[in-house]
Amino acid sequence: MTWIDLRSDTVTHPTPAMRDAMRDAEVGDDVYGDDPSVKALEDAAAGKLGKEAALFVPSGNFGNQLALLTHCDRGDEVILGDDCHIVWHETGGAALIAGVQLRTIESDKGVMPIDAIRRRIRVGEDIHWPKTGLISLENAHSNGRVIPLSAMAETAALAREHHIPVHLDGARVFNAATHLRCDVREITQHADTVMFCLSKGLAAPVGSIIAGSADFVRRARRNRKLMGGGLRQAGVLAAPGLIALNEMSQRLAEDHDRAQSLAEGLAALPGVSVQREDVHINLVWFRLPENTDGAALAAYLLERGIKANPPEDGLMRFATHWQVDGEAVERTLAAMRAFLAG
């Protein structure tokens, strides 16, 4: 049986070219700064993002928490959306690692109203207040939407006015650029630091990048070691990362097209409600008919070689990636149709 895995784009296997690159990678000890493959990846990533420097880190979660730790003093506040990845899916690391508190804003599908951000910035030196240490944005958002550049620009301008840095959780920032049909630097210009994942839709087996000023990356490199992320012969991971960055980032429109096909097919099924307006990238969110047993559906799909996570809070998600082709989409829709037909 050929498996179809729709749980996430984190499940992607490295391509054959990546496996060859891993085998042949030139390596050194990255803690000493002499792994040539890592240095090549970091230089290429910084250039792509329009930043002075970049740092290879083990994961996106690690990269976001490293950014908070490097930007902020303990006790600072970080302003961010209440539905973002840092709040929901990073195990409370902000409190444990950076020692910061998260001041959340109810977002409009990932967009934080500028007036709401303005009201939460601590202005002045009141001894009772924490300091606003950082504003964090997410684009593409984990809800599947791409945040408009105008909203990012407005937030960046407000942050500069108050001398507050902006961090971008850009786990899928190349998906966002694909959707907007723009150079990724048109997005990243609105943030002081950026994290993006090599290991999601870009299909590298491990790793993420955090980028910013040379001074920020110098401080982050020390904090990476503190957090246990000092890497040794990491060139075997950086080599496929270069392929992810330079080649796989150019084919993401295929994943988006497959997501649209899935959304269209699901919407045609009786009782299924698809959030069609939110399918900007490779993520499809939908609700099943009332009283549908989500766990039973996941088990039914698994028996037919389709891996999917059961619904969470009533919503189910399918993710496309380079290993989900047109046949996989049709097979999935057929299985969904059969299950719902009883």
Side-chain angles (χ1 to χ4, degrees):
M1 183 185 296
T2 301
W3 284 94
I4 300 168
D5 199 334
L6 302 171
R7 291 173 297 172
S8 176
D9 47 10
T10 62
V11 303
T12 51
H13 294 174
T15 66
M18 288 179 177
R19 294 180 186 273
D20 289 343
M22 294 172 76
R23 182 194 62 226
D24 298 334
E26 188 178 0
V27 300
D29 189 316
D30 185 48
V31 173
Y32 284 111
D34 63 5
D35 188 304
S37 298
V38 172
K39 290 167 75 172
L41 172 61
E42 291 172 344
D43 289 346
K48 284 264 190 187
L49 298 175
K51 302 302 180 187
E52 288 183 344
L55 185 67
F56 184 51
V57 297
S59 71
N61 188 328
F62 192 111
N64 281 334
Q65 296 303 321
L66 178 60
L68 268 58
L69 177 64
T70 306
H71 276 299
C72 298
D73 296 324
R74 297 187 72 81
D76 279 1
E77 277 186 339
V78 178
I79 296 173
L80 70 182
D82 63 348
D83 53 357
C84 73
H85 194 276
I86 290 174
V87 172
W88 273 92
H89 294 296
E90 298 192 6
T91 61
L96 185 65
I97 298 169
V100 297
Q101 61 183 24
L102 304 181
R103 196 161 196 212
T104 61
I105 292 174
E106 185 176 356
S107 80
D108 179 10
K109 294 190 173 183
V111 177
M112 293 187 289
I114 194 67
D115 288 339
I117 299 174
R118 184 178 288 108
R119 288 195 301 271
R120 285 163 176 79
I121 293 175
R122 305 287 188 170
V123 180
E125 297 293 334
D126 192 305
I127 63 171
H128 303 88
W129 292 349
K131 181 186 72 175
T132 302
L134 185 67
I135 298 171
S136 182
L137 304 174
E138 185 175 340
N139 205 9
H141 200 276
S142 50
N143 62 17
R145 293 183 67 88
V146 173
I147 307 306
L149 293 181
S150 57
M152 293 190 66
E154 195 173 31
T155 301
L158 177 62
R160 285 193 296 270
E161 178 185 336
H162 292 278
H163 307 288
I164 299 168
V166 175
H167 173 64
L168 174 62
D169 176 354
R172 297 181 177 94
V173 72
F174 287 96
N175 292 89
T178 298
H179 175 77
L180 293 171
R181 298 182 181 181
C182 71
D183 190 285
V184 71
R185 285 174 289 188
E186 294 182 45
I187 301 173
T188 60
Q189 67 178 323
H190 302 301
D192 298 281
T193 57
V194 183
M195 184 285 296
F196 76 89
C197 293
L198 296 160
S199 57
K200 287 191 167 74
L202 303 188
V206 176
S208 291
I209 291 288
I210 185 166
S213 69
D215 178 66
F216 174 88
V217 169
R218 177 187 59 78
R219 291 182 288 117
R221 188 178 298 276
R222 177 179 175 84
N223 285 336
R224 183 186 70 173
K225 187 73 169 69
L226 181 152
M227 290 171 62
L231 305 173
R232 300 301 179 180
Q233 287 70 42
V236 294
L237 300 176
L242 270 166
I243 294 173
L245 178 68
N246 293 326
E247 298 179 20
M248 300 301 280
S249 64
Q250 303 304 304
R251 55 150 308 280
L252 294 173
E254 298 174 34
D255 299 341
H256 296 188
D257 289 344
R258 301 266 156 70
Q260 290 291 342
S261 296
L262 261 178
E264 181 179 345
L266 289 167
L269 300 178
V272 175
S273 174
V274 181
Q275 298 181 189
R276 293 290 299 276
E277 71 280 4
D278 296 343
V279 186
H280 290 180
I281 55 170
N282 62 323
L283 306 178
V284 182
W285 291 91
F286 59 97
R287 291 188 183 276
L288 298 168
E290 192 174 354
N291 299 322
T292 300
D293 187 334
L297 170 59
Y300 179 89
L301 294 174
L302 188 64
E303 289 174 357
R304 285 149 185 80
I306 302 167
K307 297 180 182 180
N309 291 322
E312 182 177 334
D313 294 330
L315 276 174
M316 194 165 182
R317 187 189 78 173
F318 287 161
T320 59
H321 47 79
W322 80 274
Q323 291 172 283
V324 176
D325 58 14
E327 182 183 353
V329 169
E330 292 305 316
R331 201 170 120 197
T332 299
L333 291 173
M336 290 288 295
R337 190 178 302 111
F339 177 84
L340 293 173

